[in-house]
Amino acid sequence: MSIASHAFRTRDIAFLSSGSREAEEARASLVTLYGSVPPEEADIIVALGGDGLMLQTLHRTMKSPKPIYGMNRGSVGFLMNEYSEHNLPERLAAALPSIIHPLIMRANDIRGIETTARAINEVSLLRQTYQAAKLRIEVDSATRLSELIADGILVASPAGSTAYNLSASGPILPLDAPLMALTPLSPFRPRRWRGALLPDVARVVIEVLEADKRPVAAAADHYEIRRVTRVEVSMDRVTSLVLLHDPGHSLDERILREQFRY
């Protein structure tokens, strides 16, 4: 289904719940009002929960993306719309799409096994013990930082720049910015380095130095691989994921507002 046509086909809706009491009650009520089909048969998926459920739903539908409209039945709800049972078909028809692209992580562990995973928000590397991680950073085959001593480092997409990246004092990126944020986590050396903004066509390679002595874990959103030796990160421009938001509350607008909340 094309993005432009989603407003004309909102009859087949799949309702997904985070499993919390509030979300389950909302799902039961909405199914009674509007019916429900399995996610693979739906024109639009309505996710009932918080941002965690939205990320899970995006990952669940990654191979066959469908427009996802979230309604907040969780705690934060940055990616969600306000909850209401009324006029849902009309809200879905009027909703505006935001297009996001995931990151691809290719991680090698100490056994030489390579694992590929995708991330909506960020790919992060984090020390596993009391000792700081030692990392070498390459961008497009050129060494940009021969040694970073820190708790770790992350690569964030524009959509994920307001999540872990912002908590680590990384920059907020507009949703349509052709950029990725490279942000260190508690850097010790070089102490003044605060990260970099990279074009989203860049290929970032992070080598773990002294991997046996200073073990490091890598995570693509919630998917973690331990004792990695090398992690490659790039943007998956082929995969387009669609989030729907009510007019005036688009993801672009939310990200812009977030920059004025300090």
Side-chain angles (χ1 to χ4, degrees), residues 101 158 173-181 197-202 235 237:
H101 303 287
L173 305 178
L175 190 63
D176 59 355
L179 299 170
M180 301 182 293
L197 290 176
L198 304 175
D200 65 2
V201 295
M235 182 75 75
R237 301 292 301 183

Side-chain angles (χ1 to χ4, degrees), residues 14-252:
F15 293 99
L16 298 181
S17 162
S18 66
S20 70
R21 179 178 58 83
E22 293 82 0
E24 284 294 298
E25 290 176 353
R27 183 182 184 280
S29 180
L30 290 165
V31 169
T32 298
L33 288 170
Y34 303 108
S36 184
V37 299
E40 58 272 13
E41 299 176 12
D43 297 315
I44 291 179
I45 295 174
V46 174
L48 303 165
D51 289 345
L53 176 67
M54 177 61 79
L55 290 177
Q56 292 173 20
T57 305
L58 287 166
H59 278 281
R60 176 176 174 177
T61 60
M62 188 88 66
K63 293 182 179 179
S64 182
K66 296 175 182 289
I68 302 172
Y69 181 90
M71 286 201 287
N72 190 16
R73 293 284 85 186
S75 53
V76 179
F78 181 80
L79 299 173
M80 315 301 274
N81 298 283
E82 290 186 6
Y83 177 76
S84 174
E85 298 178 0
H86 305 295
N87 302 318
L88 182 59
E90 290 78 8
R91 290 179 72 185
L92 294 178
L96 303 175
S98 297
I99 311 301
I100 62 175
H101 303 287
L103 301 169
I104 303 177
M105 175 185 78
R106 296 179 177 89
N108 296 89
D109 65 20
I110 58 172
R111 299 169 296 171
I113 298 174
E114 181 176 287
T115 302
T116 300
R118 282 171 171 76
I120 308 301
N121 279 345
E122 75 280 318
V123 172
S124 58
L125 283 77
L126 192 66
R127 63 178 178 142
Q128 291 180 214
T129 68
Y130 67 93
Q131 288 188 302
K134 283 189 177 183
L135 309 169
R136 179 169 56 242
I137 301 169
E138 296 180 3
V139 180
D140 293 332
S141 301
T143 298
R144 296 299 180 181
L145 197 56
S146 58
E147 184 179 88
L148 169 67
I149 303 175
D151 282 352
I153 194 168
L154 63 81
V155 181
S157 67
S161 66
T162 56
Y164 191 7
N165 175 70
L166 180 57
S167 297
S169 299
I172 295 176
L173 305 178
L175 190 63
D176 59 355
L179 299 170
M180 301 182 293
L182 181 65
T183 303
L185 305 174
S186 302
F188 178 65
R189 290 288 187 275
R191 198 181 296 273
R192 294 174 182 267
W193 189 64
R194 290 295 178 262
L197 290 176
L198 304 175
D200 65 2
V201 295
R203 183 175 64 93
V204 183
V205 174
I206 303 166
E207 298 276 356
V208 179
L209 308 178
E210 301 180 21
D212 290 330
K213 180 182 178 182
R214 302 169 183 268
V216 170
D221 287 344
H222 60 278
Y223 186 79
E224 184 183 66
I225 302 164
R226 299 182 73 79
R227 300 188 72 86
V228 296
T229 58
R230 181 182 186 275
V231 176
E232 178 183 322
V233 185
S234 57
M235 182 75 75
D236 179 5
R237 301 292 301 183
V238 175
T239 302
S240 296
L241 307 174
V242 183
L243 276 66
L244 300 176
H245 290 96
D246 295 328
H249 300 279
S250 68
L251 191 54
D252 293 282

